[in-house]
mmCIF file of all heavy atoms in Angstrom:
data_model
loop_
_atom_site.group_PDB
_atom_site.id
_atom_site.type_symbol
_atom_site.label_atom_id
_atom_site.label_comp_id
_atom_site.label_asym_id
_atom_site.label_seq_id
_atom_site.Cartn_x
_atom_site.Cartn_y
_atom_site.Cartn_z
ATOM 1 N N ARG A 373 95.065 71.740 111.219
ATOM 2 C CA ARG A 373 94.591 70.976 112.430
ATOM 3 C C ARG A 373 93.925 69.650 112.252
ATOM 4 O O ARG A 373 94.138 68.727 112.962
ATOM 5 C CB ARG A 373 93.716 71.932 113.279
ATOM 6 C CG ARG A 373 94.314 73.246 113.686
ATOM 7 C CD ARG A 373 93.405 74.074 114.532
ATOM 8 N NE ARG A 373 92.949 73.403 115.732
ATOM 9 C CZ ARG A 373 92.015 73.965 116.531
ATOM 10 N NH1 ARG A 373 91.380 75.104 116.238
ATOM 11 N NH2 ARG A 373 91.672 73.332 117.678
ATOM 12 N N TYR A 374 93.158 69.575 111.124
ATOM 13 C CA TYR A 374 92.187 68.440 111.051
ATOM 14 C C TYR A 374 92.363 67.723 109.702
ATOM 15 O O TYR A 374 91.576 66.818 109.385
ATOM 16 C CB TYR A 374 90.756 68.889 111.153
ATOM 17 C CG TYR A 374 90.513 69.595 112.465
ATOM 18 C CD1 TYR A 374 90.212 70.983 112.479
ATOM 19 C CD2 TYR A 374 90.609 68.938 113.750
ATOM 20 C CE1 TYR A 374 89.941 71.726 113.695
ATOM 21 C CE2 TYR A 374 90.421 69.665 114.932
ATOM 22 C CZ TYR A 374 90.056 70.965 114.902
ATOM 23 O OH TYR A 374 89.824 71.634 116.111
ATOM 24 N N VAL A 443 88.485 54.216 114.453
ATOM 25 C CA VAL A 443 88.618 55.630 114.412
ATOM 26 C C VAL A 443 89.795 56.040 113.596
ATOM 27 O O VAL A 443 89.813 56.961 112.701
ATOM 28 C CB VAL A 443 88.707 56.253 115.832
ATOM 29 C CG1 VAL A 443 89.298 57.648 115.821
ATOM 30 C CG2 VAL A 443 87.316 56.236 116.448
ATOM 31 N N LEU A 447 89.680 58.362 110.306
ATOM 32 C CA LEU A 447 90.406 59.669 110.227
ATOM 33 C C LEU A 447 91.327 59.668 109.031
ATOM 34 O O LEU A 447 91.283 60.661 108.279
ATOM 35 C CB LEU A 447 91.217 59.872 111.566
ATOM 36 C CG LEU A 447 90.386 60.081 112.834
ATOM 37 C CD1 LEU A 447 91.319 60.185 114.019
ATOM 38 C CD2 LEU A 447 89.562 61.356 112.732
ATOM 39 N N ARG A 451 90.538 62.291 106.085
ATOM 40 C CA ARG A 451 91.490 63.459 105.875
ATOM 41 C C ARG A 451 92.135 63.470 104.491
ATOM 42 O O ARG A 451 92.391 64.537 103.941
ATOM 43 C CB ARG A 451 92.503 63.421 106.997
ATOM 44 C CG ARG A 451 91.961 63.793 108.438
ATOM 45 C CD ARG A 451 92.902 63.850 109.500
ATOM 46 N NE ARG A 451 92.244 64.271 110.735
ATOM 47 C CZ ARG A 451 92.971 64.423 111.881
ATOM 48 N NH1 ARG A 451 94.263 64.224 111.955
ATOM 49 N NH2 ARG A 451 92.329 64.848 112.891
ATOM 50 N N ALA A 456 87.693 67.417 107.126
ATOM 51 C CA ALA A 456 88.188 67.694 108.392
ATOM 52 C C ALA A 456 87.414 66.791 109.490
ATOM 53 O O ALA A 456 86.151 66.749 109.460
ATOM 54 C CB ALA A 456 87.936 69.177 108.761
ATOM 55 N N CYS A 457 88.191 66.184 110.370
ATOM 56 C CA CYS A 457 87.589 65.342 111.354
ATOM 57 C C CYS A 457 88.500 65.245 112.495
ATOM 58 O O CYS A 457 89.684 65.516 112.451
ATOM 59 C CB CYS A 457 87.227 63.848 110.682
ATOM 60 S SG CYS A 457 88.781 63.209 109.895
ATOM 61 N N ARG A 458 87.934 64.668 113.594
ATOM 62 C CA ARG A 458 88.739 64.621 114.849
ATOM 63 C C ARG A 458 88.142 63.475 115.730
ATOM 64 O O ARG A 458 87.024 63.044 115.514
ATOM 65 C CB ARG A 458 88.691 65.952 115.682
ATOM 66 C CG ARG A 458 87.280 66.333 116.099
ATOM 67 C CD ARG A 458 87.283 67.739 116.794
ATOM 68 N NE ARG A 458 86.022 68.095 117.245
ATOM 69 C CZ ARG A 458 85.757 69.317 117.743
ATOM 70 N NH1 ARG A 458 86.733 70.222 117.851
ATOM 71 N NH2 ARG A 458 84.521 69.642 118.187
ATOM 72 N N THR A 459 89.002 63.002 116.614
ATOM 73 C CA THR A 459 88.544 62.010 117.599
ATOM 74 C C THR A 459 87.922 62.614 118.776
ATOM 75 O O THR A 459 88.294 63.663 119.264
ATOM 76 C CB THR A 459 89.809 61.240 118.122
ATOM 77 O OG1 THR A 459 90.526 60.675 117.082
ATOM 78 C CG2 THR A 459 89.443 60.106 119.058
ATOM 79 N N VAL A 460 86.792 62.035 119.203
ATOM 80 C CA VAL A 460 86.087 62.488 120.389
ATOM 81 C C VAL A 460 85.681 61.225 121.260
ATOM 82 O O VAL A 460 85.781 60.037 120.804
ATOM 83 C CB VAL A 460 84.865 63.267 120.089
ATOM 84 C CG1 VAL A 460 85.104 64.626 119.440
ATOM 85 C CG2 VAL A 460 83.850 62.496 119.154
ATOM 86 N N TRP A 484 84.883 57.797 119.255
ATOM 87 C CA TRP A 484 84.222 57.988 117.981
ATOM 88 C C TRP A 484 84.766 59.204 117.314
ATOM 89 O O TRP A 484 85.797 59.692 117.690
ATOM 90 C CB TRP A 484 82.664 57.974 118.213
ATOM 91 C CG TRP A 484 82.138 59.109 119.143
ATOM 92 C CD1 TRP A 484 81.616 60.281 118.787
ATOM 93 C CD2 TRP A 484 82.043 59.013 120.560
ATOM 94 N NE1 TRP A 484 81.219 60.992 119.858
ATOM 95 C CE2 TRP A 484 81.495 60.236 120.981
ATOM 96 C CE3 TRP A 484 82.348 58.111 121.526
ATOM 97 C CZ2 TRP A 484 81.236 60.530 122.285
ATOM 98 C CZ3 TRP A 484 82.082 58.395 122.848
ATOM 99 C CH2 TRP A 484 81.547 59.597 123.265
ATOM 100 N N ILE A 485 84.088 59.636 116.257
ATOM 101 C CA ILE A 485 84.627 60.818 115.597
ATOM 102 C C ILE A 485 83.558 61.890 115.388
ATOM 103 O O ILE A 485 82.322 61.662 115.486
ATOM 104 C CB ILE A 485 85.296 60.423 114.195
ATOM 105 C CG1 ILE A 485 84.116 60.141 113.157
ATOM 106 C CG2 ILE A 485 86.210 59.222 114.303
ATOM 107 C CD1 ILE A 485 84.702 60.090 111.798
ATOM 108 N N GLU A 486 84.066 63.062 115.024
ATOM 109 C CA GLU A 486 83.259 64.119 114.519
ATOM 110 C C GLU A 486 83.840 64.640 113.213
ATOM 111 O O GLU A 486 85.080 64.659 113.032
ATOM 112 C CB GLU A 486 83.149 65.263 115.443
ATOM 113 C CG GLU A 486 82.359 65.022 116.702
ATOM 114 C CD GLU A 486 82.305 66.244 117.703
ATOM 115 O OE1 GLU A 486 83.216 67.123 117.590
ATOM 116 O OE2 GLU A 486 81.379 66.381 118.408
ATOM 117 N N PHE A 487 82.983 64.951 112.234
ATOM 118 C CA PHE A 487 83.467 65.510 111.031
ATOM 119 C C PHE A 487 82.834 66.878 110.806
ATOM 120 O O PHE A 487 81.747 67.233 111.355
ATOM 121 C CB PHE A 487 83.229 64.634 109.804
ATOM 122 C CG PHE A 487 81.729 64.347 109.496
ATOM 123 C CD1 PHE A 487 81.024 65.070 108.588
ATOM 124 C CD2 PHE A 487 81.115 63.282 110.082
ATOM 125 C CE1 PHE A 487 79.762 64.761 108.277
ATOM 126 C CE2 PHE A 487 79.803 62.943 109.858
ATOM 127 C CZ PHE A 487 79.078 63.722 108.950
ATOM 128 N N TRP A 494 80.466 70.936 113.629
ATOM 129 C CA TRP A 494 80.902 69.505 113.873
ATOM 130 C C TRP A 494 79.710 68.570 114.035
ATOM 131 O O TRP A 494 78.780 69.044 114.766
ATOM 132 C CB TRP A 494 81.758 69.453 115.131
ATOM 133 C CG TRP A 494 83.076 70.110 114.910
ATOM 134 C CD1 TRP A 494 83.462 71.384 115.429
ATOM 135 C CD2 TRP A 494 84.159 69.529 114.322
ATOM 136 N NE1 TRP A 494 84.789 71.632 115.042
ATOM 137 C CE2 TRP A 494 85.300 70.451 114.406
ATOM 138 C CE3 TRP A 494 84.475 68.376 113.646
ATOM 139 C CZ2 TRP A 494 86.525 70.300 113.813
ATOM 140 C CZ3 TRP A 494 85.716 68.154 113.103
ATOM 141 C CH2 TRP A 494 86.746 69.117 113.176
ATOM 142 N N LYS A 527 87.191 68.408 124.241
ATOM 143 C CA LYS A 527 87.584 68.210 122.837
ATOM 144 C C LYS A 527 88.693 68.979 122.455
ATOM 145 O O LYS A 527 88.945 70.118 122.907
ATOM 146 C CB LYS A 527 86.377 68.564 121.939
ATOM 147 C CG LYS A 527 85.110 67.740 122.225
ATOM 148 C CD LYS A 527 83.993 68.076 121.285
ATOM 149 C CE LYS A 527 82.730 67.236 121.640
ATOM 150 N NZ LYS A 527 81.647 67.542 120.737
ATOM 151 N N ASP A 528 89.613 68.426 121.542
ATOM 152 C CA ASP A 528 90.833 69.086 121.054
ATOM 153 C C ASP A 528 91.816 69.300 122.193
ATOM 154 O O ASP A 528 92.761 70.065 122.073
ATOM 155 C CB ASP A 528 90.495 70.342 120.464
ATOM 156 C CG ASP A 528 89.996 70.222 119.029
ATOM 157 O OD1 ASP A 528 90.292 69.255 118.335
ATOM 158 O OD2 ASP A 528 89.191 71.087 118.544
#
Side-chain angles (χ1 to χ4, degrees):
R373 296 180 64 186
Y374 304 114
V443 162
L447 291 176
R451 289 182 176 185
C457 51
R458 64 185 180 185
T459 304
V460 291
W484 56 97
I485 75 166
E486 288 181 335
F487 61 95
W494 292 100
K527 299 181 180 181
D528 284 328

